[in-house]
Amino acid sequence: QVQLVESGGGLVQAGGSLRLSCAGSERDLSIYNMGWFRQAPGKEREFVVAISWRDQNTYYADFVKGRFTISRDNAKNTVHLQMNSLKPEDTAVYYCAAAPGGRLVDSQIAYAYWGQGTQVTVSS
């Protein structure tokens, strides 16, 4: 069983930055593709970005390209999401998720393990 814990959320003004972290416990995250999803109030949860376990290839949703950067440190069992140039529409609960190997995908059903989420609020 993989347990994921997100941290780093908070309140920031538009144009600001936040760095989210996802720590894995009790299991080696290096064999999992890791993704970040988000859910804004009243909206469906959506894919943000993912990073592969094998070669650290990345896959970004169009709305975050050039602003967000995902990285992973397998030695520390952590994944990070650097978010720059934040906009009010980025306000959401951000979730870290792990998918067992395979192709890098944006489908939520591929991700077997989820964290509890961390709130990101961007004020205008």
Side-chain angles (χ1 to χ4, degrees), residues 58-123:
T58 56
Y59 175 25
Y60 289 88
D62 287 343
F63 55 80
V64 300
K65 284 182 180 177
R67 300 190 299 126
F68 291 10
T69 303
I70 190 172
S71 62
R72 66 189 299 165
D73 185 339
N74 289 336
K76 295 183 178 180
N77 233 24
T78 57
V79 178
H80 302 288
L81 181 62
Q82 178 66 44
M83 305 187 296
N84 298 328
S85 302
L86 283 162
K87 306 174 181 179
E89 51 264 43
D90 293 319
T91 295
V93 177
Y94 283 71
Y95 297 90
C96 174
R103 189 168 56 92
L104 206 58
V105 296
D106 59 6
S107 172
Q108 296 183 48
I109 61 174
Y111 292 81
Y113 306 103
W114 294 80
Q116 293 300 306
T118 185
Q119 177 70 47
V120 171
T121 303
V122 184
S123 63

Side-chain angles (χ1 to χ4, degrees), residues 2-85:
V2 177
Q3 294 184 350
L4 304 172
V5 178
E6 302 95 337
S7 62
L11 173 64
V12 64
Q13 289 188 331
S17 299
L18 281 174
R19 185 179 191 235
L20 305 184
S21 296
C22 173
S25 61
E26 301 180 9
R27 195 71 176 262
D28 184 1
L29 289 183
S30 65
I31 61 172
Y32 294 87
N33 292 334
M34 299 299 298
W36 286 94
F37 292 77
R38 70 185 187 185
Q39 187 167 21
K43 294 187 177 182
E44 298 288 321
R45 187 160 59 184
E46 63 180 354
F47 171 79
V48 177
V49 60
I51 186 167
S52 67
W53 71 275
R54 182 187 295 273
D55 50 15
Q56 303 208 14
N57 277 344
T58 56
Y59 175 25
Y60 289 88
D62 287 343
F63 55 80
V64 300
K65 284 182 180 177
R67 300 190 299 126
F68 291 10
T69 303
I70 190 172
S71 62
R72 66 189 299 165
D73 185 339
N74 289 336
K76 295 183 178 180
N77 233 24
T78 57
V79 178
H80 302 288
L81 181 62
Q82 178 66 44
M83 305 187 296
N84 298 328
S85 302

